[in-house]
Amino acid sequence: MSGQDGSGGNRETDMNRPEFSNVIIKDRVRALREEAKKAHRVRVAKASKR
């Protein structure tokens, strides 16, 4: 019985994995965009000080 439960569990994780990785990718992209905005602001501030 435990073998059947294990295979069913694996199938569920395989089905959910693409969505989960998508969430991780979107989160990373959002974080990178925020960092890029901050870096841009820093560059602008440095340029205006010159």
Side-chain angles (χ1 to χ4, degrees):
M1 276 217 199
S2 63
Q4 289 177 346
D5 292 342
S7 66
N10 288 341
R11 197 178 300 140
E12 283 183 26
T13 53
D14 287 343
M15 292 289 282
N16 291 335
R17 196 168 289 151
E19 294 176 16
F20 189 64
S21 63
N22 241 355
V23 169
I24 292 173
I25 290 168
K26 285 180 182 175
D27 192 46
R28 280 189 186 164
V29 167
R30 189 168 50 84
L32 286 171
R33 280 189 182 148
E34 286 176 12
E35 283 182 33
K37 281 182 187 176
K38 287 178 189 173
H40 182 69
R41 284 185 195 143
V42 169
R43 268 188 252 126
V44 169
K46 284 184 179 176
S48 65
K49 283 182 185 176
R50 286 182 190 164

